[in-house]
């Protein structure tokens, strides 16, 4: 038997400019935070950092929610943790579907055993509060679950009026804000959001691997009615919930709330380096200021849109409801979209995105997020895309894109 083991080369990934719909290049300070020394999860310094993270993300979410913390895992872990912790088998959930990630919410809710009603919206459009209210009256759901910024369509779902409708009808309101948070306005308390989950790898400018979550007091109470404490750590003072236990152990938010709470009840080993990264992402956002960060994302997104339009390319979807940080653009008929993307990556080291489902092969998705929501990233991407399109004889207007984008950076 050959026991030779290939060790491969020392890790040395290429330098890329990530201008797709995410992940993106992390802020340098986040890289620095990731490299800090590991400490034990119950070290008082570590639990102090956990408390700091909770405070910082209350600022990011614009909430006073006590239950604000991290779920260890990618953004999808936060989505699944919220849905599996709120929804019991047979519960009704209403889901506006404005793109691929609305379908993901349906997928998870179906696996939980919930009864699902969708509001199906044409890709490139958003759902209205009137549609939601009509569906709530007919279906009477326990929960409305939606996506704020769906990168598959680049649309930004308005939430304020929907939150008012849910609040008035006594319906819990959950939002996946993975792709929108820190690049678009998000006011958790003001908009009556009961649960929000996010990720670091978009506008927050960090790596994928940690999901900030916030829960209203009402939502936390609903989840705690399903509380179950594991044998081996359960003590005499722990009380079981009255509803059926949450059907996942790792994503059990009742236990995770206890882990982040004063008791520090053991649940899992905290992902220390990711907590460092999440902490620095929040510090950067709050240090720059919410309004300033969002304005920077809008400036970059508008500059990119103007440059693409000046080049003669057609933008996808209702531009009045597009996200600040991701833009859809139709692929010219005379070129192959994947070939152009490959040339951009191999010649310029720039990554842009393809799309999903009915839009696959029809549009590119280009992001301006976090550390990459900067003038030089926008201009470099436009110049590189123009040169590759000209090489493949696309019918575009040369020499216009960069000049049009520069008008947004006077």
């Amino acid at each position: 038997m050959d026991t030779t083991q290939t060790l491969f080369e020392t890790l040395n990934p290429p330098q890329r400019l990530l201008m797709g719909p995410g992940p993106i290049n992390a802020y340098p300070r986040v890289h620095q935070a990731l490299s800090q020394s590991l400490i034990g999860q119950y070290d008082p310094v570590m639990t102090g950092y956990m408390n700091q993270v909770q405070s910082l993300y209350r600022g990011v979410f614009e909430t006073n929610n006590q239950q604000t913390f991290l779920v260890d895992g990618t953004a999808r872990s936060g989505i699944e943790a919220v849905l599996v912790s709120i929804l019991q088998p047979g519960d009704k959930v209403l889901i506006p579907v404005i793109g691929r990630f609305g379908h993901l919410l349906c997928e998870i809710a179906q696996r939980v055993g919930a009864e699902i009603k969708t509001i199906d919206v044409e890709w490139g459009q958003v759902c209205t509060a009137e549609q939601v209210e009509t569906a709530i009256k007919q279906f009477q759901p326990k929960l409305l679950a939606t996506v704020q910024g769906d990168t598959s369509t680049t649309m930004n779902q308005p939430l304020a009026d929907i939150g008012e409708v849910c609040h008035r009808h006594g319906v819990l309101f959950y939002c996946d804000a993975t792709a929108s948070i820190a690049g678009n306005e998000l006011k958790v308390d003001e908009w009556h959001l009961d649960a929000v989950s996010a990720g670091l790898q978009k506008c927050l400018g960090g790596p994928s691997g940690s999901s900030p979550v916030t829960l209203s007091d009402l939502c936390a109470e609903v989840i705690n009615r399903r509380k179950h404490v594991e044998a081996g750590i359960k003590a005499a003072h722990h009380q079981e919930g009255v509803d059926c236990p949450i059907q996942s152990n790792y994503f059990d938010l009742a236990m995770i709330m206890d882990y982040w709470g004063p008791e520090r009840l053991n649940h899992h080993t905290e992902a220390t380096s990711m907590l460092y990264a999440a902490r620095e992402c929040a510090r950067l956002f709050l240090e720059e200021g919410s309004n300033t960060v969002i304005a920077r994302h809008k400036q970059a997104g508008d500059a990119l849109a103007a440059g693409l339009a000046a080049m003669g390319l057609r933008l996808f979807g209702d531009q009045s409801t597009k996200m600040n940080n991701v833009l859809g653009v139709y692929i010219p008929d005379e070129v192959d979209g994947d070939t152009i993307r490959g040339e951009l990556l191999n010649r310029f080291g720039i990554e842009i995105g393809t799309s999903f489902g009915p839009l696959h092969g029809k549009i590119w998705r280009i992001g301006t997020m976090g550390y990459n929501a900067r003038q030089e990233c926008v201009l470099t991407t436009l110049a590189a895309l123009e040169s590759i399109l000209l090489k493949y004889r696309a019918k575009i207007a040369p020499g216009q894109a960069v000049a049009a984008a520069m008008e947004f950076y006077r």
Side-chain angles (χ1 to χ4, degrees):
M1 178 179 177
D2 184 2
T3 59
T4 303
Q5 175 65 60
T6 302
L7 298 180
F8 303 107
E9 71 280 3
T10 300
L11 194 66
N12 185 29
Q15 295 294 314
R16 305 292 198 200
L17 177 57
L18 302 179
M19 298 294 288
I24 48 77
N25 302 94
Y27 289 107
R29 274 171 50 183
V30 175
H31 284 288
Q32 185 180 43
L34 278 164
S35 69
Q36 297 302 311
S37 298
L38 300 179
I39 53 179
Q41 63 177 334
Y42 295 116
D43 187 309
V45 175
M46 181 62 176
T47 54
Y49 288 154
M50 293 172 73
N51 291 339
Q52 291 174 9
V53 163
Q54 291 184 282
S55 175
L56 289 165
Y57 276 93
R58 289 185 191 107
V60 174
F61 282 120
E62 296 196 29
T63 185
N64 291 314
N65 289 341
Q66 175 64 31
Q67 298 302 339
T68 302
F69 48 81
L70 304 178
V71 173
D72 289 337
T74 62
R76 188 175 296 211
S77 72
I79 298 170
E80 185 151 351
V82 170
L83 292 179
V84 76
S85 296
I86 294 175
L87 294 172
Q88 301 181 56
D91 280 345
K92 292 183 177 181
V93 56
L94 177 64
I95 303 177
V97 177
I98 67 169
R100 180 233 165 145
F101 294 102
H103 288 297
L104 172 62
L105 301 186
C106 294
E107 162 82 14
I108 296 171
Q110 183 179 38
R111 288 172 181 256
V112 170
E115 182 181 346
I116 302 163
K117 179 178 176 62
T118 61
I119 301 173
D120 296 306
V121 178
E122 179 184 354
W123 286 27
Q125 306 295 321
V126 294
C127 184
T128 66
E130 291 74 22
Q131 288 174 292
V132 168
E133 184 155 30
T134 297
I136 284 175
K137 288 177 178 178
Q138 293 173 347
F139 188 55
Q140 298 185 333
K142 174 182 182 178
L143 176 72
L144 182 135
T146 192
V147 177
Q148 184 182 27
D150 195 313
T151 55
S152 67
T153 66
T154 73
M155 293 296 104
N156 187 39
Q157 173 64 57
L159 299 177
D161 290 345
I162 292 176
E164 189 279 326
V165 168
C166 290
H167 183 68
R168 181 156 37 86
H169 287 277
V171 175
L172 291 172
F173 186 17
Y174 161 65
C175 174
D176 164 23
T178 299
S180 53
I181 193 170
N184 306 267
E185 194 174 50
L186 177 66
K187 298 180 180 295
V188 170
D189 288 356
E190 184 178 323
W191 296 350
H192 303 293
L193 286 155
D194 290 292
V196 181
S197 66
L200 304 185
Q201 74 274 18
K202 311 279 187 175
C203 302
L204 281 168
S208 179
S210 184
S211 180
V213 168
T214 190
L215 307 172
S216 70
D217 289 346
L218 175 60
C219 190
E221 180 184 328
V222 168
I223 292 169
N224 276 324
R225 288 204 292 265
R226 305 180 68 188
K227 184 189 290 261
H228 168 76
V229 181
E230 298 171 13
I233 60 172
K234 185 176 181 180
H237 67 278
H238 292 134
Q239 294 185 347
E240 295 287 295
V242 296
D243 290 345
C244 73
I246 293 164
Q247 292 171 289
S248 169
N249 177 286
Y250 188 73
F251 294 136
D252 185 327
L253 288 185
M255 288 202 291
I256 293 174
M257 285 189 279
D258 281 344
Y259 176 65
W260 281 80
E263 190 174 4
R264 301 290 177 190
L265 190 63
N266 184 265
H267 178 252
H268 64 283
T269 301
E270 183 57 29
T272 308
S273 296
M274 285 308 306
L275 183 137
Y276 294 165
R279 179 179 179 275
E280 195 61 27
C281 287
R283 288 183 71 242
L284 282 159
F285 176 79
L286 295 171
E287 181 181 290
E288 187 174 353
S290 172
N291 292 338
T292 303
V293 179
I294 292 169
R296 173 164 60 84
H297 280 84
K298 186 176 189 307
Q299 181 183 40
D302 288 349
L304 177 68
L308 293 169
M311 200 187 298
L313 300 181
R314 188 161 58 99
L315 305 181
F316 172 76
D318 182 352
Q319 295 302 291
S320 69
T321 56
K322 79 173 184 68
M323 300 164 68
N324 289 333
N325 52 296
V326 185
L327 185 69
V329 57
Y330 283 99
I331 300 168
D333 292 337
E334 54 272 17
V335 302
D336 176 75
D338 287 342
T339 298
I340 301 300
R341 290 176 60 241
E343 288 266 317
L344 272 175
L345 188 67
N346 294 325
R347 291 184 180 273
F348 290 93
I350 298 174
E351 178 181 282
I352 64 173
T354 181
S355 194
F356 306 109
L359 296 179
H360 181 69
K362 295 182 179 179
I363 69 169
W364 292 309
R365 296 175 301 148
I366 307 177
T368 49
M369 293 188 271
Y371 185 57
N372 294 347
R374 293 180 287 136
Q375 176 179 195
E376 54 267 43
C377 298
V378 173
L379 301 185
T380 299
T381 300
L382 286 169
L385 179 60
E386 178 181 304
S387 67
I388 298 298
L389 287 173
L390 288 172
K391 174 187 174 183
Y392 284 88
R393 295 182 170 81
K395 297 174 182 177
I396 62 170
Q400 304 299 315
V402 170
M406 285 174 65
E407 290 295 312
F408 289 82
Y409 290 100
R410 287 181 173 274

